[in-house]
């Protein structure tokens, strides 16, 4: 219920005691600055579950330049949202913030502050309260006096949550006045990642990773010098996006991107989609920056990133990291992330990407620094933080069971939408009966065969952005349910395609994770079946095209090889096994 001035009247506000059903609750205020900090608050929100003594409230300081997405996120969380001015006038038992921005010292209640990244590593030139500027230089955000002390010289926070004693040593050196407020509370975000590691295969299935495929995860923090930014010496991103499609065989690699919420909401999700449209048509998957990034990180085989927290989290779980942007400008000297960025392998945007990734994977050894310095209390953040929060509130912890964080949810199924034209190289391996090797590259792959024995053809999805490409295709494909009434049956669609495009030799309709229906120019209708986690069934259609063009019988095709991975296939005619 909102008053005429936009202030809440229930469960707090003028006359709230008359209207609130449970009016004697302790008040806990979640203080968000932007979507990024709000996500860390959502990590710890479950620590108050099942406690009828606590009323949760939310507010936004309005101090961040990145306000996009905040209203929608807070509405989805479903807590009463106080305007910032009302929040400052409302007594609370505890306020929890994941940033030091805004006039936190004016909150009427105890204050606990968490990091919204991996510890405290980045610098900002000045607090955004509008009251002070730093003496000199750029202090580490969250560990220096410019941020931690109020106008009276006392700590703003009653509990400053640290994830590792290393941060305490820096705090003692930079702001000894705040040391009494320091609390070792672990890293709830990293704990959720650690708890979800056994479910890696499920997260890979959600992204439709196939046998033998490696997931390359692009990650960028926000900053002109980040991987996504254009403020560095070179704008790496456009070249990298082209190389992802042209250098990496589509059936050996999957590519996905996790972008910092400040990129996502600062420029707008629609703008991001437009900027990355070509890459998406070539198979790049955009990951939800709130709910999906940790699952994608766990699923990844290699990460191409920058100086943001996600690169460090990746290294902490042993994932190889290749830095596409390695600026130290935004990092405090001697911080763990700065040390990592100084030594991690670098991407060469002008060299073939596949060779760099293979080299990185072959020589990778997990670094001890990130694994050891992310948290000194792995798996214990929930217990440590709940103990701290309830100590500040002044009531005992709930007795209903141990403190637990939410498990990472299983993300939605996100198969790639590969509609860019594919340059396909095939080779019939005479030394291996019934086997065809296939290499498919999207949108700008090599125009000629890869050497002796390789043949080339073009495969085009019917939904290609440029319908003129269909007139040049040797193979035309699509995917979807077999009973889509808009298209007719796969047999009907393949017949229509070949009648409309007389230059096309073969039409293929993928009807499931491991099967497709194929019609050839001579009118034969074939079905190719394989296991559900083998390669994209449309690669089998290209293999069959090459096999038939080489004079083989359909029934004799038994194996399709993508990279080093063989995929067993069965070819049938009109629903029955090919006759001898």
């Amino acid at each position: 219920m909102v008053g005429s001035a936009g202030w809440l009247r229930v469960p707090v506000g003028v006359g709230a005691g008359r209207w609130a059903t449970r009016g004697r609750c302790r008040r806990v205020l979640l203080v968000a600055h932007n979507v990024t900090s709000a996500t860390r608050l959502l990590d710890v929100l479950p620590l108050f579950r099942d406690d009828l003594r606590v009323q949760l409230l939310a507010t936004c300081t309005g101090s961040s330049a990145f306000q996009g997405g905040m209203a929608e996120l807070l509405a989805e969380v479903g807590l009463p949202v106080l305007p910032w001015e009302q929040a400052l006038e409302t007594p609370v038992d505890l306020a929890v913030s994941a940033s030091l921005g805004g006039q936190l010292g004016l909150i009427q209640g105890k204050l606990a502050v968490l990091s919204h990244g991996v510890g405290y590593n980045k610098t900002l030139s000045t607090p955004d309260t509008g009251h002070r500027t730093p003496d000199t230089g750029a202090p580490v955000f969250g560990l220096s006096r410019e941020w931690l002390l109020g106008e009276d010289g006392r700590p703003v926070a009653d509990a400053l949550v640290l994830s590792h004693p290393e941060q305490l040593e820096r705090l003692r050196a930079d702001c000894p006045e705040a040391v009494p407020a320091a609390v070792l509370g672990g890293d709830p975000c990293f704990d959720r990642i650690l708890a979800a590691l056994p479910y890696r295969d499920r997260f890979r299935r959600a992204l439709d990773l196939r046998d033998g495929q490696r997931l390359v995860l692009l990650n960028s923090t926000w900053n002109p010098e980040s991987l996504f930014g254009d403020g560095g010496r070179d704008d790496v991103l456009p070249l990298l996006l082209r190389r992802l499609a042209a250098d990496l065989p589509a059936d050996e690699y999957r590519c996905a991107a996790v972008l910092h919420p400040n990129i996502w909401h600062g420029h707008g999700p629609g703008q991001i989609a437009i900027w990355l449209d070509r890459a998406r048509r070539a198979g790049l998957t955009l990951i939800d920056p709130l709910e999906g990034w940790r699952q994608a990180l766990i699923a990844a085989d290699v990460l191409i990133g920058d100086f943001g927290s996600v690169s460090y989290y990746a290294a902490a779980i042993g994932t190889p990291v290749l830095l596409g942007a390695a600026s130290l400008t935004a990092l405090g000297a001697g911080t763990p992330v700065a040390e990592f960025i100084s030594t991690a392998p670098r991407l060469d945007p002008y060299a073939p990407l596949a060779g760099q990734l293979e080299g990185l994977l072959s020589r990778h050894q997990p670094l001890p620094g990130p694994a050891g310095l992310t948290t000194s209390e792995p798996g214990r953040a929930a217990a440590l933080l709940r103990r701290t929060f309830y100590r500040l509130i002044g009531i005992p912890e709930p007795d209903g069971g141990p403190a637990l964080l939410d498990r990472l949810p299983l993300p939605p199924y996100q198969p790639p939408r590969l509609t860019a034209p594919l340059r396909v190289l095939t080779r019939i391996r005479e030394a291996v009966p019934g086997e065809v090797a296939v290499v498919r590259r999207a949108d700008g792959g090599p125009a000629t065969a890869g050497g002796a024995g390789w043949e080339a053809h073009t495969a085009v999805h019917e939904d290609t952005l440029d319908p003129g490409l269909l007139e040049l295709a040797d193979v035309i494909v699509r995917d979807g349910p077999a009973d889509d009434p808009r298209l007719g049956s796969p047999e009907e669609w393949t017949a229509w395609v070949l009648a409309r495009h007389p230059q096309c030799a073969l039409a293929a309709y993928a009807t499931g994770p491991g099967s497709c229906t194929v019609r050839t120019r001579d009118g034969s209708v074939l079905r190719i079946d394989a296991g559900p986690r083998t390669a994209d069934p449309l690669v089998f259609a290209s293999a069959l095209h090459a096999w038939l063009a080489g004079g083989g019988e359909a029934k004799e095709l038994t194996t399709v090889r993508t990279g080093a991975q063989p995929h067993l296939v069965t070819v049938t005619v009109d629903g029955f096994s090919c006759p001898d």
Side-chain angles (χ1 to χ4, degrees), residues 269-287:
Q271 179 64 76
I272 301 300
I274 290 172
W275 276 339
L276 297 181
D277 180 71
R278 181 172 179 173
R280 294 166 64 212
R281 287 184 281 113
L284 180 73
T285 298
L286 284 177
I287 303 297

Side-chain angles (χ1 to χ4, degrees), residues 224-254:
E225 296 181 319
S226 69
L227 182 63
F228 204 83
D230 61 1
R233 184 179 62 181
D234 298 311
D235 189 357
V236 171
L237 186 66
L239 180 57
L240 176 58
L241 292 175
R242 289 195 294 271
R243 286 205 174 278
L244 287 172
D247 289 3
L248 301 184
D251 301 295
E252 299 170 44
Y253 291 91
R254 273 291 314 284

Side-chain angles (χ1 to χ4, degrees), residues 361-547:
L361 289 163
S362 65
R363 64 177 180 269
H364 173 66
Q365 294 291 334
L367 299 173
L373 293 174
T374 298
T375 177
S376 61
E377 300 289 341
R380 298 195 63 227
L384 294 171
L385 290 173
R386 191 174 77 170
R387 181 187 309 163
T388 297
F389 293 159
Y390 276 85
R391 172 177 61 82
L392 294 174
I393 295 171
I395 58 176
E397 294 182 59
D399 58 7
L404 298 171
L405 303 173
D406 281 347
R407 293 176 56 179
L408 294 182
L410 186 64
Y413 181 55
Q414 287 185 277
R417 186 63 175 158
L418 188 60
T419 61
L422 294 167
R423 191 64 176 174
V424 185
L425 303 180
T426 61
R427 185 178 67 178
I428 297 174
R429 305 186 70 200
E430 296 181 358
V432 184
E435 182 171 298
V436 177
V438 183
V439 177
R440 300 190 304 168
R441 289 187 174 90
D443 209 13
T448 59
W454 290 90
E455 300 292 338
H457 69 266
T458 300
V460 179
H461 197 286
E462 189 185 34
D463 290 341
T464 179
L465 193 63
D466 182 0
L469 294 173
L470 295 170
E471 303 306 321
L472 306 175
D474 303 291
V475 175
I476 295 177
V477 302
R478 78 165 303 114
D479 53 321
D483 58 351
D484 189 333
R486 299 169 299 174
L487 302 171
S489 68
E491 293 79 7
E492 292 173 316
W493 177 84
T494 53
W496 182 88
V497 166
L498 293 183
R500 182 175 178 82
H501 304 284
Q503 88 297 334
C504 178
L506 182 147
Y509 190 130
T511 54
S515 62
C516 67
T517 297
V518 172
R519 184 183 293 271
T520 62
R521 178 54 61 186
D522 66 5
S524 299
V525 178
L526 311 170
R527 181 180 175 89
I528 309 174
D529 290 289
R533 295 197 68 184
T534 57
D536 175 0
L538 296 176
V539 76
F540 304 147
S542 280
L544 181 60
H545 169 68
W547 184 258

